[in-house]
Amino acid sequence: MIYATLMTQNKQICFKPGEIPNIELNAKEISQIILNLTRNGLEAMEERGCLTLESYLQDSKVILAIEDEGCGIPPEHTNKLGTPFFTTKDSGTGLGLATCYRIVESHNAKICVDSNPSGTTFIITFPVPIKANENRCC
């Protein structure tokens, strides 16, 4: 579905995987987050836009950032993001981001949004559990 959108609308995806530790996540739910945010980002962009997915380690947390080159989210809407049934789309249900926020919360993660007129970035911060062996004193 995403590949078809890329081809028919002349858009690109750039994936920048970083070295991150293995953390326990529900693969199906994380795939749902990526699908929803990717689809939203692609819909927000004009032809020849690029969507960037990046993962990296920062301050002992795993970061997943999804950045589009769309028109941004108006400030008056940012505090409503994740609210069930809130949508700015003509044919949207308002459940995609609500689902993302619920999944993020169930993983004890946090989601932040940085938006301006040249694009929007969703930043998801996953905690990295400290291994029990690292806490023990010799």
Side-chain angles (χ1 to χ4, degrees), residues 1-137:
M1 178 172 64
I2 291 173
Y3 183 73
T5 301
L6 293 172
M7 299 311 292
T8 60
Q9 297 180 9
N10 194 20
K11 297 176 183 175
Q12 302 175 47
I13 289 184
C14 178
F15 183 53
K16 299 178 181 178
E19 285 196 35
I20 58 174
N22 288 328
I23 56 176
E24 287 189 37
L25 301 172
N26 181 309
K28 183 178 178 183
E29 290 182 340
I30 300 305
S31 294
Q32 187 66 54
I33 289 174
I34 293 170
L35 177 64
N36 287 352
L37 294 178
T38 298
R39 191 169 51 207
N40 286 353
L42 290 172
E43 288 174 4
M45 295 189 311
E46 297 292 326
E47 191 172 334
R48 291 187 295 277
C50 183
L51 184 82
T52 302
L53 284 84
E54 185 174 11
S55 63
Y56 53 94
L57 188 64
Q58 178 181 324
D59 299 328
S60 299
K61 293 178 174 44
V62 171
I63 308 296
L64 171 64
I66 300 177
E67 178 181 7
D68 68 48
E69 295 177 347
C71 59
I73 300 169
E76 63 271 15
H77 292 165
T78 54
N79 63 343
K80 298 175 187 173
L81 296 177
T83 303
F85 307 109
F86 172 74
T87 184
T88 59
K89 299 177 186 177
D90 293 335
S91 61
T93 63
L95 295 176
L97 277 181
T99 299
C100 291
Y101 276 71
R102 182 194 55 76
I103 293 169
V104 165
E105 185 178 311
S106 74
H107 283 82
N108 295 317
K110 302 220 180 298
I111 188 166
C112 296
V113 181
D114 181 22
S115 190
N116 60 59
S118 61
T120 299
T121 305
F122 281 84
I123 302 163
I124 304 169
T125 306
F126 295 95
V128 176
I130 299 172
K131 295 180 183 173
N133 291 340
E134 294 175 356
N135 287 338
R136 293 186 183 162
C137 186

